[in-house]
Amino acid sequence: METQILVTGGTGYIGSHTVVELIQAGYDPIILDNFSNSKRSVLEQIKKLTGKEPKLIEGDIRNEKVLDRVFQENKIEAVINFAGRKAVGESQVNPLLYFSINVEGSIVLLRKMKEYGIKRFVFSSSATVYGDPGYDCFTESTPLSPINNYGESKWMVEEVLRRLVQAEPDWKVAILRYFNPVGAHESGLIGEDPSGIPANLMPFVSQVAVGKREKLRIFGNDYPTRDGTGARDYIHVVDLALGHIAALEALNKNDGLITVNLGTGNNTTVLELVHAFEKASDKQIPYEIVERRPGDVAAYYTDPTLAKTLLNWEAQRDINKMCEDTWRWQQMNPQGYPED
Ligand code: NAD
Ligand code: UD1
C-alpha cells in the first residue's frame, strides 16, 4: 500500500506542487485545506497532471474534530504542514491572526499527531527567520532574528519543534527554510495564483508582461548589489517540492530534528530577473525606480551545502527556467484558477 502523507495547505501554491511530486514518487497524499487562499479547481488540475485526484478533507488545522476524522479515517505516516498565512504586511496589521493560524495551528496539529502516535513532521519555515544579520549568505547556523510578525510566527513554531524533539527524541522533524519560491509546473496546469495585487516580485512582473498591470515599481536601486537593486535566491517551486520528498526520505534515516535551508545558492537582482523574464516572454517589462520598500534587505541567498549532504538534494532549475514556467502558467491561465 502507498504511504499516506497528510498535506495541510495542499491546494495552495507550494502544497499543490508538492502533492503532484508526492503522487509521482508513489506516495498517497491526503489534503487538509480550508480554501482560505486556494481554489477547488486545483484538484482537477492535479488529476489532469497525475491521473489521480488526491483525497481532500475540507477544514481548519485548528479544528480538533476535523483532525480526529483525518487521523481516524486514514493511516497517515507523516504530516507536511503548509497551511498558514504568509503576507508580511498583513502580519503587522493582524498579529493575532498570524499567531493563531501559524503557531496555534501547528501546535494543535502536533498535539493531535501525538495522540494518534504519528511523529513525523515536515514544517514550512522561511529564510525570513534570519532577519537582517548584516551579511548575505545564510547557513543554517546563521543567528535567527526575525523582523516582522510573520517571521516571528515561523520562529516560534521552530522553537516549539526544537523543544518537542528535545523532550521526546522519538519524533522525526524536518524544518525547511525556503528562500524565494517562484515558477510553476512546466505543464502550465498549476502555478501561483495570488489574490489582488501581488506583493512579490515574480507574480507582479508576470502580470505586467501579460498586460494586467501597467508597469513594475522597483523598490530602490541604491543597494550594495551588482546593479543596485535587491538580490534574492529564487528557487523553482518544483525543486522546492522535490526538497520535501527528499526531507521525508531523510527522516526515515534520521531520528530527531533536521533544519535545512532550501534555495539554489545563487542570487538574482530585480533587474536581472526583469531581463530574464523579458527573454522568456518576448515582452518588454516597463518599470520605474521608486523608494526602497520598508523592511527590505539588500541581498540574501543560501549556502546549499547542508541540503546536499543531509537530503541529497540540490536545486536543478535556473532563473531562465523559473521565468519560462511562470510565463507559460500566466499565459495559459491569465485569470488564475477559475472561481469556485
Ligand atoms: P498558500 O497561501 O498558497 O498556501 C497555503 C494553503 O493553506 C492555502 O491553500 C490555504 O487555503 C491553506 N490554509 C491557510 N490557513 C489554513 C488553515 N487554518 N487551515 C487549513 N488550511 C489553511 O501559500 P504557499 O506559498 O503555498 O506557502 C505554504 C507555506 O510555506 C506557508 O506556511 C508559508 O508561510 C510558507 N512559506 C512560503 C513562502 C512563499 O514565498 N510562498 C516562503 C517561505 C515559506
Ligand atoms: C518577501 C517577504 C518575505 C518572504 C518572501 C518570500 C517582505 C518584506 N518579505 O520577501 O518575508 O519570505 O517574500 O516569498 O515582504 N520588489 C520590487 N518591486 C515589487 C516587488 C518586489 O522591486 O513590486 C523587489 C523587492 O524590493 C526585493 C525583491 O524584489 O528586492 C524580491 O521581493 P519579494 O518577491 O517581495 O520577496 P522578498 O522581499 O525577499
Side-chain angles (χ1 to χ4, degrees):
M1 210 180 93
E2 291 160 326
T3 308
Q4 291 190 329
I5 311 288
L6 177 65
V7 185
T8 74
T11 54
Y13 173 44
I14 305 169
S16 57
H17 288 82
T18 304
V19 164
V20 165
E21 297 306 322
L22 281 167
I23 295 173
Q24 286 173 347
Y27 290 93
D28 181 16
I30 293 174
I31 297 176
L32 171 62
D33 203 301
N34 66 359
F35 294 105
S36 54
N37 197 34
S38 60
K39 306 265 171 57
R40 282 176 177 74
S41 54
V42 174
L43 293 163
E44 290 148 39
Q45 301 298 80
I46 293 175
K47 184 167 181 196
K48 268 189 218 158
L49 243 168
T50 62
K52 179 173 166 172
E53 186 164 326
K55 182 169 177 184
L56 166 85
I57 294 109
E58 185 169 349
D60 194 301
I61 52 165
R62 293 165 295 178
N63 185 329
E64 300 203 10
K65 288 208 178 80
V66 169
L67 293 176
D68 280 326
R69 226 187 84 209
V70 170
F71 292 129
Q72 280 162 11
E73 288 177 3
N74 303 286
K75 228 184 129 347
I76 309 280
E77 294 193 16
V79 176
I80 308 181
N81 185 23
F82 291 109
R85 294 188 79 94
K86 58 172 181 178
V88 173
E90 186 187 42
S91 79
Q92 295 301 93
V93 177
N94 200 345
L96 286 181
L97 181 73
Y98 273 68
F99 295 127
S100 174
I101 297 178
N102 293 4
V103 184
E104 183 189 349
S106 298
I107 293 173
V108 173
L109 189 55
L110 289 163
R111 204 169 51 224
K112 276 289 160 192
M113 285 174 66
K114 182 175 165 170
E115 195 179 314
Y116 288 90
I118 302 156
K119 294 193 164 184
R120 250 182 262 185
F121 190 70
V122 179
F123 178 62
S124 299
S125 189
S126 166
T128 198
V129 294
Y130 295 115
D132 188 2
Y135 41 90
D136 300 348
C137 180
F138 300 170
T139 71
E140 289 75 3
S141 48
T142 294
L144 307 182
S145 77
I147 51 176
N148 52 57
N149 292 329
Y150 167 62
E152 288 284 348
S153 74
K154 292 292 176 188
W155 176 82
M156 285 181 193
V157 178
E158 285 201 7
E159 209 48 37
V160 167
L161 291 170
R162 282 188 277 274
R163 284 150 202 265
L164 174 65
V165 173
Q166 214 169 35
E168 300 179 20
D170 58 332
W171 279 82
K172 293 166 181 271
V173 173
I175 293 174
L176 304 180
R177 295 181 181 146
Y178 314 155
F179 281 62
N180 286 52
V182 296
H185 193 273
E186 69 178 352
S187 62
L189 290 174
I190 57 173
E192 186 172 15
D193 182 16
S195 54
I197 302 171
N200 296 118
L201 180 64
M202 182 69 100
F204 200 103
V205 166
S206 164
Q207 292 193 3
V208 173
V210 82
K212 218 168 148 181
R213 317 229 165 249
E214 198 194 328
K215 64 179 163 192
L216 171 71
R217 293 163 66 236
I218 296 183
F219 300 137
N221 66 348
D222 56 353
Y223 285 108
T225 59
R226 286 185 293 279
D227 56 28
T229 62
R232 297 289 182 273
D233 185 343
Y234 297 98
I235 172 170
H236 195 295
V237 65
V238 172
D239 279 327
L240 188 59
L242 291 169
H244 290 73
I245 311 231
L248 276 180
E249 283 161 11
L251 288 187
N252 292 334
K253 295 181 218 126
N254 299 48
D255 259 348
L257 179 82
I258 56 176
T259 303
V260 187
N261 288 347
L262 295 183
T264 63
N266 302 315
N267 65 90
T268 305
T269 67
V270 177
L271 281 171
E272 287 166 350
L273 187 146
V274 166
H275 294 139
F277 207 96
E278 287 182 330
K279 200 169 108 199
S281 62
D282 206 16
K283 300 268 179 200
Q284 254 217 309
I285 315 284
Y287 65 82
E288 63 174 329
I289 309 287
V290 300
E291 288 292 287
R292 289 181 177 193
R293 179 171 66 178
D296 265 358
V297 173
Y300 62 83
Y301 54 95
T302 187
D303 174 343
T305 313
L306 190 68
K308 225 184 282 180
T309 47
L310 216 53
L311 306 185
N312 193 23
W313 170 93
E314 66 188 307
Q316 304 290 338
R317 294 159 179 81
D318 68 9
I319 193 72
N320 295 318
K321 174 78 175 149
M322 298 179 213
C323 292
E324 284 157 21
D325 290 342
T326 304
W327 180 234
R328 189 176 303 106
W329 155 255
Q330 180 72 66
Q331 276 186 301
M332 285 171 65
N333 309 271
Q335 305 307 326
Y337 292 110
E339 289 301 323
D340 291 332

